[in-house]
PDB file of all heavy atoms in Angstrom:
ATOM      1  N   HIS B  74      -8.747   7.651   6.443  1.00 97.00           N
ATOM      2  CA  HIS B  74      -9.406   7.770   7.746  1.00 97.00           C
ATOM      3  C   HIS B  74     -10.486   6.703   7.892  1.00 97.00           C
ATOM      4  O   HIS B  74     -11.154   6.342   6.918  1.00 97.00           O
ATOM      5  CB  HIS B  74     -10.015   9.165   7.939  1.00 97.00           C
ATOM      6  CG  HIS B  74     -11.073   9.540   6.930  1.00 97.00           C
ATOM      7  ND1 HIS B  74     -12.419   9.294   7.134  1.00 97.00           N
ATOM      8  CD2 HIS B  74     -11.005  10.135   5.723  1.00 97.00           C
ATOM      9  CE1 HIS B  74     -13.112   9.740   6.102  1.00 97.00           C
ATOM     10  NE2 HIS B  74     -12.274  10.253   5.221  1.00 97.00           N
ATOM     11  N   ASP B  76     -12.799   7.153  10.437  1.00 97.00           N
ATOM     12  CA  ASP B  76     -13.993   7.774  11.020  1.00 97.00           C
ATOM     13  C   ASP B  76     -14.970   8.119   9.894  1.00 97.00           C
ATOM     14  O   ASP B  76     -14.597   8.250   8.729  1.00 97.00           O
ATOM     15  CB  ASP B  76     -13.639   9.012  11.861  1.00 97.00           C
ATOM     16  CG  ASP B  76     -12.981  10.123  11.056  1.00 97.00           C
ATOM     17  OD1 ASP B  76     -12.179   9.807  10.159  1.00 97.00           O
ATOM     18  OD2 ASP B  76     -13.286  11.302  11.306  1.00 97.00           O
ATOM     19  N   VAL B 106     -17.983   4.570   0.680  1.00 98.00           N
ATOM     20  CA  VAL B 106     -17.075   5.234  -0.262  1.00 98.00           C
ATOM     21  C   VAL B 106     -16.166   6.257   0.417  1.00 98.00           C
ATOM     22  O   VAL B 106     -15.077   6.546  -0.091  1.00 98.00           O
ATOM     23  CB  VAL B 106     -17.840   5.908  -1.432  1.00 98.00           C
ATOM     24  CG1 VAL B 106     -18.479   4.850  -2.313  1.00 98.00           C
ATOM     25  CG2 VAL B 106     -18.858   6.905  -0.948  1.00 98.00           C
ATOM     26  N   ASP B 107     -16.581   6.816   1.532  1.00 96.00           N
ATOM     27  CA  ASP B 107     -15.785   7.867   2.206  1.00 96.00           C
ATOM     28  C   ASP B 107     -15.487   7.449   3.636  1.00 96.00           C
ATOM     29  O   ASP B 107     -16.228   7.766   4.528  1.00 96.00           O
ATOM     30  CB  ASP B 107     -16.542   9.197   2.170  1.00 96.00           C
ATOM     31  CG  ASP B 107     -15.740  10.326   2.786  1.00 96.00           C
ATOM     32  OD1 ASP B 107     -14.541  10.154   3.031  1.00 96.00           O
ATOM     33  OD2 ASP B 107     -16.338  11.381   3.052  1.00 96.00           O
ATOM     34  N   MET B 108     -14.343   6.759   3.881  1.00 97.00           N
ATOM     35  CA  MET B 108     -13.550   6.127   2.863  1.00 97.00           C
ATOM     36  C   MET B 108     -13.047   4.778   3.322  1.00 97.00           C
ATOM     37  O   MET B 108     -11.931   4.379   3.048  1.00 97.00           O
ATOM     38  CB  MET B 108     -12.393   7.052   2.436  1.00 97.00           C
ATOM     39  CG  MET B 108     -11.462   7.408   3.597  1.00 97.00           C
ATOM     40  SD  MET B 108      -9.838   7.928   2.972  1.00 97.00           S
ATOM     41  CE  MET B 108      -9.082   6.325   2.693  1.00 97.00           C
ATOM     42  N   GLU B 141     -10.832  12.782  10.717  1.00 90.00           N
ATOM     43  CA  GLU B 141     -10.804  13.554   9.473  1.00 90.00           C
ATOM     44  C   GLU B 141     -12.109  14.301   9.306  1.00 90.00           C
ATOM     45  O   GLU B 141     -12.138  15.436   8.861  1.00 90.00           O
ATOM     46  CB  GLU B 141     -10.577  12.622   8.279  1.00 90.00           C
ATOM     47  CG  GLU B 141     -10.057  13.341   7.019  1.00 90.00           C
ATOM     48  CD  GLU B 141     -11.169  13.927   6.166  1.00 90.00           C
ATOM     49  OE1 GLU B 141     -12.327  13.508   6.294  1.00 90.00           O
ATOM     50  OE2 GLU B 141     -10.881  14.816   5.356  1.00 90.00           O
ATOM     51  N   GLU B 142     -13.204  13.653   9.682  1.00 87.00           N
ATOM     52  CA  GLU B 142     -14.526  14.251   9.479  1.00 87.00           C
ATOM     53  C   GLU B 142     -14.915  15.190  10.622  1.00 87.00           C
ATOM     54  O   GLU B 142     -15.930  15.867  10.546  1.00 87.00           O
ATOM     55  CB  GLU B 142     -15.597  13.148   9.350  1.00 87.00           C
ATOM     56  CG  GLU B 142     -15.330  12.122   8.252  1.00 87.00           C
ATOM     57  CD  GLU B 142     -15.639  12.640   6.848  1.00 87.00           C
ATOM     58  OE1 GLU B 142     -15.826  13.856   6.696  1.00 87.00           O
ATOM     59  OE2 GLU B 142     -15.682  11.813   5.920  1.00 87.00           O
ATOM     60  N   GLY B 169      -6.576   7.659  -0.221  1.00 98.00           N
ATOM     61  CA  GLY B 169      -7.657   6.865  -0.813  1.00 98.00           C
ATOM     62  C   GLY B 169      -9.029   7.483  -0.724  1.00 98.00           C
ATOM     63  O   GLY B 169     -10.034   6.770  -0.749  1.00 98.00           O
ATOM     64  N   GLU B 170      -9.115   8.819  -0.641  1.00 97.00           N
ATOM     65  CA  GLU B 170     -10.431   9.479  -0.609  1.00 97.00           C
ATOM     66  C   GLU B 170     -11.139   9.286  -1.955  1.00 97.00           C
ATOM     67  O   GLU B 170     -10.493   9.154  -2.987  1.00 97.00           O
ATOM     68  CB  GLU B 170     -10.254  10.986  -0.376  1.00 97.00           C
ATOM     69  CG  GLU B 170      -9.747  11.366   0.995  1.00 97.00           C
ATOM     70  CD  GLU B 170     -10.839  11.436   2.049  1.00 97.00           C
ATOM     71  OE1 GLU B 170     -11.978  10.988   1.782  1.00 97.00           O
ATOM     72  OE2 GLU B 170     -10.547  11.918   3.152  1.00 97.00           O
ATOM     73  N   PRO B 171     -12.477   9.319  -1.953  1.00 97.00           N
ATOM     74  CA  PRO B 171     -13.196   9.200  -3.227  1.00 97.00           C
ATOM     75  C   PRO B 171     -12.900  10.394  -4.126  1.00 97.00           C
ATOM     76  O   PRO B 171     -13.125  11.529  -3.726  1.00 97.00           O
ATOM     77  CB  PRO B 171     -14.673   9.180  -2.810  1.00 97.00           C
ATOM     78  CG  PRO B 171     -14.707   9.738  -1.422  1.00 97.00           C
ATOM     79  CD  PRO B 171     -13.378   9.450  -0.805  1.00 97.00           C
ATOM     80  N   MET B 368     -21.334   9.837  -1.017  1.00 95.00           N
ATOM     81  CA  MET B 368     -20.671  10.116   0.264  1.00 95.00           C
ATOM     82  C   MET B 368     -21.476  11.112   1.102  1.00 95.00           C
ATOM     83  O   MET B 368     -22.084  12.031   0.575  1.00 95.00           O
ATOM     84  CB  MET B 368     -19.242  10.605   0.054  1.00 95.00           C
ATOM     85  CG  MET B 368     -19.074  11.862  -0.745  1.00 95.00           C
ATOM     86  SD  MET B 368     -17.294  12.152  -0.971  1.00 95.00           S
ATOM     87  CE  MET B 368     -17.327  13.543  -2.073  1.00 95.00           C
ATOM     88  N   HIS B 369     -21.499  10.854   2.389  1.00 95.00           N
ATOM     89  CA  HIS B 369     -22.210  11.664   3.388  1.00 95.00           C
ATOM     90  C   HIS B 369     -23.733  11.608   3.200  1.00 95.00           C
ATOM     91  O   HIS B 369     -24.455  12.327   3.884  1.00 95.00           O
ATOM     92  CB  HIS B 369     -21.748  13.130   3.367  1.00 95.00           C
ATOM     93  CG  HIS B 369     -20.313  13.311   3.791  1.00 95.00           C
ATOM     94  ND1 HIS B 369     -19.844  14.476   4.369  1.00 95.00           N
ATOM     95  CD2 HIS B 369     -19.251  12.487   3.747  1.00 95.00           C
ATOM     96  CE1 HIS B 369     -18.554  14.358   4.633  1.00 95.00           C
ATOM     97  NE2 HIS B 369     -18.170  13.150   4.260  1.00 95.00           N
TER      98      HIS B 369
HETATM   99 ZN1   ZN A   1     -13.169  11.287   3.551  1.00 53.24          ZN
END
Side-chain angles (χ1 to χ4, degrees):
H74 61 91
D76 62 322
V106 292
D107 183 12
M108 60 158 278
E141 200 274 340
E142 304 283 13
E170 291 277 11
M368 60 185 174
H369 294 207

